[in-house]
C-alpha cells in the first residue's frame, strides 16, 4: 500500500479513510480485505490498535470481507472507529441521570395537582384576614423548601412543583385588588416563582432544563410588569405585550432550545476531502471527530425538555393575560384592539402547534390558543345582541364545516407542501396583525388620535 500521487490503475482502489488521526488517502489492491486497510491506516496514523471500518452510511464492514465484496469502489470514503461497535440506539443512550430517573405518571399527576392546590391556596390566603394571610404565606414558603430535598425517585416533579408554592406565597403577600396594582402583583408573583426555581436549581441539581425556562420566563414577566408600573402606564399595556410575547416565543423557542456543541457541528470543508484533494498532507493535519449516538440523544432530550417547559410557560401566560387584557380594555377603541389581539394570538398559537413534533408541546400550544378564544367568547358573548349571536352561530358552523373538509383531505393523504405554505402564510399574518393590534389594545393608537383631533 502506498500513499502519494500515483495514478490508480484499474486493479487498485483509491480510498479516503477518516478516523481519530484525521483523513488519509490510500491506494489499495481491489482484492484487499477490510482488515488490511484498517491495519495500514493504523500503521500510518500511529494507532496502537487496528480500528474498525465503517462505510459512509455507517454500516460496519466485516474484517474478513474483501473490498469488492462489500461494494467499496474508487473514491469512496471509509470511517475508522477504534474500539467502537455499532449497536442499537437504546443500548448507546446515555445512562440515566437525575433528570432521567424513572418517574411514574401518577407522581407527575399528583405533583401537578399539588401545584394547582398551591395556586388556589395563594388565592384564598390573599382574600383572608391579615393574620390568616400571614400564617398561610409562611406555610406556603415553608412548603416550597420541600422541593430542595434531592432524595427519592419522584424528585424531578417535586422540584418543578416547589416554585409554585413560593409564587403563591408572594401573590398572597402583595395582593391588592386595585386594577392599577395588578401588574405589580403579577410581576412579584412571577419573580417569586423565578427565585424559587433558581434556588431549587442551585441546591437540588434536578430538572435543570425545565427550571432554567421557569427562571427566564419569570424574569421576563417581572421585567415587563415592572417597567409598566414604574412608567405609570395603563395595566393593559403589560397584558398586551406579554400576550404577543407568548405568540412570538412559540415561534422562536425551538430555534433557541436546540444547542449543539461546537465539536459536533458538521464541517462541510472536511466532508469535501476526497482521495485526490487531500493528497500530500500529513495524517494529523485533519482531525475527524465522530459524533457518538449518545451525544445526539442528549442534545435531543435536553431540547425536548426545554421546548415542553417553554410551551407550558406560554400556556400559563395565555391563561392569565388574555382575560386581563379583555377586562382592562374599557374604552370602545381599546376594546376592539383587545378583542382582535386575543383572537389573532389564539389563531397564531393554534397554527404554531402544527410545526411541533413533540406531543406535549403541541397539545400545550393548542390549549393556549383555545384558552385565548375561550376568554374572548366568555367576554364577548354576554355583550352580543340576538342578531349578532345568530351571525356568530352561522360563522361557527361554517368554520366547522371547513375544518371537517380539511380534516378529511389531510386524512386521505393531501399533506402536501400546499397545506404547509398556506398554514405558514396564515401564521405569519396572525403574528404581524397581532403585533399591530398591540398599538390599539394598549391605548397608544387612541392617544395619538386624541392628540391630533
Amino acid at each position: 500500500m502506498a500513499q502519494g500521487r500515483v495514478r490508480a490503475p484499474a486493479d487498485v482502489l483509491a480510498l479516503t479513510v477518516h478516523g481519530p488521526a484525521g483523513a488519509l488517502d490510500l491506494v489499495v489492491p481491489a482484492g484487499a480485505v477490510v482488515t488490511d486497510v484498517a491495519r495500514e491506516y493504523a500503521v500510518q496514523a500511529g494507532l496502537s490498535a487496528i480500528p474498525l471500518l465503517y462505510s459512509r452510511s455507517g454500516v460496519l464492514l466485516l474484517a474478513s470481507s474483501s473490498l469488492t465484496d462489500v461494494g467499496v469502489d474508487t473514491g469512496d470514503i471509509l470511517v475508522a472507529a477504534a474500539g467502537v461497535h455499532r449497536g442499537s440506539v437504546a443500548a448507546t443512550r446515555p445512562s440515566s441521570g437525575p433528570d432521567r430517573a424513572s418517574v411514574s405518571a401518577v407522581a407527575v399527576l399528583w405533583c401537578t395537582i399539588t401545584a394547582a392546590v398551591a395556586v388556589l391556596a395563594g388565592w384564598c390566603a390573599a382574600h383572608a384576614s391579615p393574620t390568616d394571610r400571614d400564617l398561610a404565606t409562611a406555610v406556603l414558603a415553608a412548603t416550597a423548601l420541600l422541593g430542595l430535598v434531592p432524595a427519592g425517585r419522584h424528585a424531578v416533579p417535586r422540584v418543578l412543583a416547589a416554585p409554585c408554592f413560593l409564587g403563591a406565597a408572594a401573590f398572597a403577600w402583595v395582593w391588592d385588588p386595585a386594577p392599577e396594582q395588578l401588574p405589580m402583583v403579577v410581576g412579584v408573583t412571577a419573580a417569586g416563582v423565578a427565585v424559587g426555581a433558581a434556588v431549587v436549581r442551585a441546591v437540588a441539581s434536578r430538572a435543570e432544563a425545565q427550571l432554567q425556562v421557569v427562571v427566564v420566563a419569570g424574569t421576563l414577566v417581572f421585567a415587563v410588569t415592572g417597567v409598566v408600573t414604574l412608567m405609570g402606564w395603563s395595566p393593559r399595556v403589560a397584558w398586551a405585550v406579554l400576550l404577543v410575547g407568548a405568540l412570538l416565543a412559540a415561534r422562536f423557542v425551538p430555534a433557541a432550545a436546540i444547542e449543539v456543541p461546537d465539536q459536533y457541528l458538521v464541517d462541510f470543508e472536511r466532508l469535501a476531502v476526497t482521495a485526490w484533494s487531500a493528497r500530500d498532507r500529513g495524517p494529523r493535519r485533519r482531525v475527524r471527530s465522530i459524533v457518538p449516538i449518545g451525544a445526539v440523544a442528549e442534545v435531543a432530550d435536553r431540547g425536548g425538555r426545554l421546548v415542553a417547559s417553554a410551551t407550558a410557560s406560554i400556556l400559563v401566560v395565555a391563561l392569565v393575560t388574555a382575560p386581563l387584557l379583555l377586562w382592562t380594555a374599557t374604552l370602545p377603541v381599546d376594546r376592539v384592539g383587545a378583542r382582535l389581539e386575543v383572537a389573532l394570538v389564539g389563531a397564531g398559537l393554534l397554527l404554531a402547534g402544527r410545526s411541533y413534533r413533540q406531543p406535549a408541546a403541541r397539545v400545550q400550544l393548542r390549549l393556549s390558543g383555545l384558552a385565548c378564544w375561550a376568554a374572548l367568547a366568555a367576554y364577548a358573548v354576554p355583550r352580543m345582541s340576538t342578531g349578532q349571536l345568530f351571525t356568530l352561530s352561522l360563522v361557527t358552523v361554517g368554520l366547522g364545516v371547513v375544518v371537517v373538509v380539511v380534516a378529511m383531505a389531510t386524512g386521505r393523504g393531501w399533506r402536501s407542501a400546499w397545506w404547509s405554505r398556506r398554514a405558514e402564510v396564515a401564521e405569519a399574518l396572525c403574528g404581524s396583525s397581532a403585533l399591530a393590534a398591540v398599538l390599539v389594545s394598549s391605548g397608544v393608537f387612541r392617544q395619538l388620535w386624541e392628540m391630533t383631533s
Side-chain angles (χ1 to χ4, degrees):
M1 300 180 187
Q3 179 181 7
R5 301 177 180 272
V6 180
R7 188 178 184 85
D11 57 343
V12 297
L13 301 177
L15 308 175
T16 299
V17 182
H18 289 259
L24 283 179
D25 294 339
L26 300 178
V27 179
V28 301
V33 296
V34 174
T35 186
D36 293 335
V37 180
R39 183 180 293 105
E40 181 65 19
Y41 178 85
V43 171
Q44 296 198 27
L47 301 180
S48 59
I50 299 177
L52 302 177
L53 290 185
Y54 293 85
S55 67
R56 185 165 46 185
S57 60
V59 179
L60 176 63
L61 304 181
L62 297 179
S64 59
S65 301
S66 64
L67 296 178
T68 56
D69 292 340
V70 296
V72 176
D73 200 357
T74 295
D76 284 353
I77 298 176
L78 303 181
V79 178
V84 178
H85 293 271
R86 182 177 177 85
S88 63
V89 176
T92 57
R93 290 183 67 89
S95 58
S96 296
D99 290 354
R100 294 187 182 86
S102 59
V103 179
S104 63
V106 177
V108 176
L109 176 62
W110 274 111
C111 289
T112 304
I113 295 175
T114 302
V117 171
V119 174
L120 181 60
W123 175 264
C124 295
H127 294 79
S129 62
T131 304
D132 295 338
R133 181 185 59 192
D134 295 341
L135 179 60
T137 301
V139 171
L140 288 171
T143 307
L145 297 177
L146 296 178
L148 303 179
V149 180
R153 58 178 297 194
H154 303 315
V156 172
R158 186 171 63 248
V159 300
L160 292 178
C164 297
F165 288 89
L166 193 58
F171 175 82
W173 182 49
V174 301
W175 166 252
D176 193 331
E180 60 273 8
Q181 299 296 327
L182 283 180
M184 182 195 67
V185 174
V186 173
V188 173
T189 302
V193 174
V195 169
V199 172
V200 172
R201 181 187 176 193
V203 177
S205 301
R206 297 296 184 99
E208 185 270 339
Q210 295 92 324
L211 293 175
Q212 180 183 359
V213 173
V214 175
V215 172
V216 173
T219 303
L220 290 177
V221 173
F222 176 74
V224 172
T225 54
V227 170
V228 170
T229 303
L230 292 176
M231 298 298 294
W233 295 337
S234 175
R236 62 178 176 272
V237 177
W239 316 138
V241 172
L242 288 175
L243 190 59
V244 78
L247 177 60
L248 296 178
R251 180 75 175 181
F252 298 110
V253 157
I258 303 298
E259 182 180 356
V260 181
D262 293 339
Q263 65 269 24
Y264 295 148
L265 294 177
V266 176
D267 192 339
F268 289 98
E269 190 269 338
R270 288 176 181 170
L271 294 180
V273 175
T274 63
W276 296 270
S277 64
R279 288 178 296 183
D280 290 342
R281 298 191 179 187
R284 298 186 182 276
R285 288 289 300 275
R286 297 180 179 273
V287 179
R288 177 62 175 169
S289 59
I290 299 176
V291 181
I293 299 178
V296 177
E298 173 66 25
V299 172
D301 184 68
R302 176 180 172 80
R305 285 183 278 124
L306 286 173
V307 168
S309 304
T311 52
S313 301
I314 292 172
L315 175 59
V316 173
V317 172
L319 285 172
V320 174
T321 57
L324 288 176
L325 177 60
L326 295 171
W327 178 50
T328 54
T330 55
L331 297 178
V333 177
D334 299 343
R335 284 200 300 265
V336 173
R339 294 175 183 178
L340 283 176
E341 181 177 351
V342 172
L344 291 170
V345 169
L349 290 174
L350 289 172
L351 290 171
R354 86 191 201 286
S355 60
Y356 283 70
R357 294 298 175 262
Q358 188 181 43
R362 185 166 57 246
V363 169
Q364 291 176 58
L365 284 179
R366 290 173 177 173
L367 288 177
S368 303
L370 292 177
C372 293
W373 283 2
L376 179 61
Y379 176 83
V381 169
R383 294 171 172 79
M384 288 184 177
S385 62
T386 305
Q388 291 175 337
L389 287 175
F390 180 73
T391 304
L392 178 63
S393 301
L394 292 179
V395 172
T396 304
V397 172
L399 289 176
V401 173
V402 173
V403 169
V404 170
V405 172
V406 172
M408 293 175 61
T410 54
R412 291 174 179 172
W414 295 359
R415 299 187 179 184
S416 62
W418 189 91
W419 292 100
S420 179
R421 286 196 299 268
R422 269 53 182 182
E424 190 73 19
V425 171
E427 183 181 351
L429 288 176
C430 289
S432 57
S433 302
L435 284 173
V438 172
L439 299 177
V440 184
S441 60
S442 61
V444 175
F445 177 80
R446 177 180 51 80
Q447 292 178 0
L448 293 177
W449 188 10
E450 293 173 352
M451 291 173 58
T452 56
S453 61

